[in-house]
Amino acid sequence: MPVPSDLSVTRDASPRRRNRLSPWLALASGLSALTVALAIAYWAWQPATLRIAVGPPGGDDQMLVLAMAQAFDAKGGPVRLAPIETDGTLQSLNLLGGGKTDLAVARGDLEMPSETSSVAIMRRNFVVMWAPTGRKGAGKSKVTEIAALSGRRIGVVGLGDANVTLLRVILAESGVNPQKVSVVQFGTDHIAEMTQDTTLDAFMMVGALDARVIADTIAATARLRGEPKFLGVDVSDAIAERHPLYESEEIPAGAFAASPQRPDDKIDTIAINHLIVSPSWFSEDTVAAFTRELFAVRQSLAKDLPTASHIQKPDTDKDAALPAHPGAAAYVDGNERSFMDKYSDYIWGAVLLLSGLGSVAAWLRHYLRREERSLNALHRDRLLTAISSVREATSLDDLAAMQRAADDILRETLACHEDGAIEDGDLAAFSLVLAQFHQAIVDRRAVIGRTSKAGDADLPAKPDGSVLQPFPISTAAR
């Protein structure tokens, strides 16, 4: 008797092949995600290279910046330096204003590009003014204080406008008309000519107290024209009050020589900060990392370059004349952001994005497998219908054929479940129908077995004698 086609199923091994491949696909996906994560981490942890403009060539500032760059490289921290050589601080500031450098070394009283802030104090420059007292037997100098400079000639070291501008401020605040003082400027390579110029009544230099060039210049004027008379800026407090870029300071006794002591007593003067500056909008995290690295290597640099010991933290006061960069201020004040502070918004954004993508992927997967779910529902419904055919079967062979067809449907259904095409609820409904089908098979086998013992080998297909009509069940290749 032919096998009823109620439960016929077209076998398709594609689900099982897909299941065999799914671990490899999962491994490939995991490796791809790991590769992307490692690439992002590599990019994120690459050291930042900062361009820093410094000049003039061969000067103390350039030597110190080059030493800083080497120390940063040796330390292997998150920051590297790429020094850019310039003619001086004015060119360095021009590069900074043009966006051609990230940092610049410049005096704090120069005109800065807009939105410039301080990162660190390289050193503090002091105004040193003195007048020669004349040799023994020669006439004594009449310049003993700044107020006596009216109508005199003063030699100023430095060819830019910064020192001359500062001198005029000091003169004006001291009650001297700057127009009545003749100023002669000398480059640092012409200091010897300045010391030999007997027409000069006084001298002015600006630099660090331990700068050898200042001590040597004072000593040279002392040899040629007698011991110097240091001119104190008695109005230094008033100048600092009216001009925030300048600060009131003192030069201690013996700062330039111990024997004889020069000066012989402390004197008031004006100080100007020599700074590392950066645009205020520049990366806060990068500047904080640079500041941290700078102060980490400062002590080691000072062993070979004493000028490194002058490096100081910037002024973080809100009312500072040149405000500190937010990144430098965060380091100085101990307010640097932690990893979570920096990236928590991005992390939560990524979580929400991945969650949304996961929902979209689940919906898309559900949509693409709608035919498999429909086919599985058809299997379940026809299996339920086939229960009637089982109850009307006339031979054990027919029951065995139906059982085999049901087994094929079961394998197909389990493959769909493992592949995610159907949910647990669908599988539970199918299991209930399958249990009813198996119970019908068991009951029908018992009936056929009893009938066979009674001698009735053939039973009518139906009570009315009609032939069983199959309920075709087939699966399309998924």
Side-chain angles (χ1 to χ4, degrees):
M1 185 174 184
V3 177
S5 60
D6 301 54
L7 301 178
S8 60
V9 58
T10 302
R11 298 183 182 181
D12 181 13
S14 60
R16 287 177 288 281
R17 284 198 301 269
R18 187 159 56 248
N19 285 336
R20 285 195 299 269
L21 291 176
S22 59
W24 296 105
L25 291 175
L27 178 61
S29 301
L31 291 176
S32 299
L34 179 61
T35 301
V36 172
L38 290 176
I40 293 174
Y42 176 79
W43 173 82
W45 275 291
Q46 278 288 89
T49 299
L50 301 181
R51 301 166 296 173
I52 180 169
V54 60
D60 291 342
D61 292 342
Q62 186 187 49
M63 298 299 294
L64 181 54
V65 168
L66 291 175
M68 287 165 49
Q70 294 175 0
F72 283 15
D73 290 341
K75 191 172 183 293
V79 176
R80 302 289 188 273
L81 288 182
I84 300 175
E85 184 178 291
T86 65
D87 295 336
T89 56
L90 290 178
Q91 185 182 6
S92 298
L93 290 177
N94 288 335
L95 292 179
L96 187 71
K100 297 179 181 179
T101 185
D102 307 310
L103 303 168
V105 178
R107 269 176 55 159
D109 59 340
L110 295 177
E111 184 177 356
M112 300 284 176
S114 60
E115 297 185 8
T116 298
S117 54
S118 63
V119 176
I121 299 174
M122 286 277 281
R123 66 176 179 274
R124 185 158 291 183
N125 291 329
F126 291 75
V127 175
V128 183
M129 300 177 68
W130 73 97
T133 58
R135 291 182 177 182
K136 291 182 180 180
K140 297 288 185 178
S141 172
K142 296 180 180 179
V143 178
T144 58
E145 59 183 8
I146 293 177
L149 287 174
S150 181
R152 305 289 181 171
R153 285 167 55 87
I154 182 169
V156 177
V157 177
L159 298 179
D161 296 333
N163 288 349
V164 175
T165 300
L166 177 53
L167 173 61
R168 288 171 179 166
V169 170
I170 294 173
L171 291 173
E173 294 292 342
S174 301
V176 179
N177 185 350
Q179 301 300 324
K180 294 184 179 182
V181 177
S182 298
V183 177
V184 183
Q185 293 181 258
F186 295 86
T188 54
D189 53 345
H190 290 83
I191 292 179
E193 297 178 14
M194 182 186 74
T195 59
Q196 296 172 6
D197 189 343
T198 58
T199 65
L200 298 175
D201 300 296
F203 305 95
M204 172 181 168
M205 295 185 73
V206 179
L209 289 182
D210 60 353
R212 191 64 190 171
V213 64
I214 296 179
D216 289 345
T217 303
I218 294 173
T221 59
R223 287 193 305 270
L224 296 173
R225 301 180 62 184
E227 279 297 317
K229 169 61 180 178
F230 288 92
L231 309 179
V233 184
D234 298 330
V235 292
S236 59
D237 290 335
I239 292 176
E241 183 69 24
R242 295 188 181 94
H243 305 273
L245 291 176
Y246 303 134
E247 298 181 15
S248 177
E249 284 287 354
E250 289 184 347
I251 298 177
F256 306 116
S259 180
Q261 198 174 50
R262 297 174 184 152
D264 57 2
D265 196 4
K266 64 181 180 180
I267 57 175
D268 294 327
T269 190
I270 293 297
I272 313 100
N273 287 330
H274 207 73
L275 305 167
I276 299 176
V277 296
S278 176
S280 301
W281 47 260
F282 195 66
S283 170
E284 179 177 337
D285 295 332
T286 303
V287 172
F290 165 78
T291 310
R292 189 186 321 111
E293 293 295 299
L294 174 60
F295 286 96
V297 302
R298 179 182 57 174
Q299 294 301 325
S300 61
L301 291 176
K303 296 178 182 178
D304 299 321
L305 292 174
T307 54
S309 61
H310 298 313
I311 298 175
Q312 300 178 38
K313 297 175 181 178
D315 185 359
T316 59
D317 289 343
K318 300 298 183 181
D319 57 351
L322 189 64
H325 190 283
Y331 166 77
V332 172
D333 297 336
N335 295 327
E336 286 187 87
R337 296 183 299 168
S338 65
F339 179 85
M340 288 303 298
D341 292 334
K342 296 176 185 177
Y343 302 109
S344 59
D345 292 342
Y346 298 102
I347 293 174
W348 287 115
V351 169
L352 292 176
L353 178 62
L354 292 176
S355 177
L357 291 176
S359 299
V360 172
W363 175 85
L364 183 61
R365 182 179 183 182
H366 188 269
Y367 175 78
L368 293 177
R369 292 180 174 176
R370 62 190 185 281
E371 294 183 0
E372 295 182 55
R373 290 194 302 278
S374 299
L375 187 59
N376 181 261
L378 181 62
H379 283 337
R380 184 189 61 216
D381 293 341
R382 291 188 173 177
L383 187 63
L384 183 62
T385 303
I387 294 176
S388 299
S389 299
V390 170
R391 291 170 179 165
E392 297 172 356
T394 58
S395 70
L396 295 177
D397 291 340
D398 291 344
L399 293 178
M402 292 182 186
Q403 183 66 62
R404 287 193 297 271
D407 292 341
D408 290 340
I409 292 176
L410 175 60
R411 281 191 293 271
E412 198 67 23
T413 301
L414 292 177
C416 288
H417 180 262
E418 292 175 2
D419 206 28
I422 62 175
E423 305 295 335
D424 292 342
D426 298 325
L427 185 63
F430 177 82
S431 299
L432 180 61
V433 174
L434 185 62
Q436 294 296 318
F437 176 81
H438 284 160
Q439 187 61 46
I441 289 287
V442 170
D443 293 344
R444 191 57 182 169
R445 280 177 177 167
V447 171
I448 292 176
R450 290 195 300 270
T451 304
S452 297
K453 291 179 181 179
D456 296 330
D458 295 323
L459 291 176
K462 287 187 178 181
D464 58 0
S466 60
V467 180
L468 289 172
Q469 296 297 321
F471 296 90
I473 300 177
S474 61
T475 59
R478 294 189 293 119

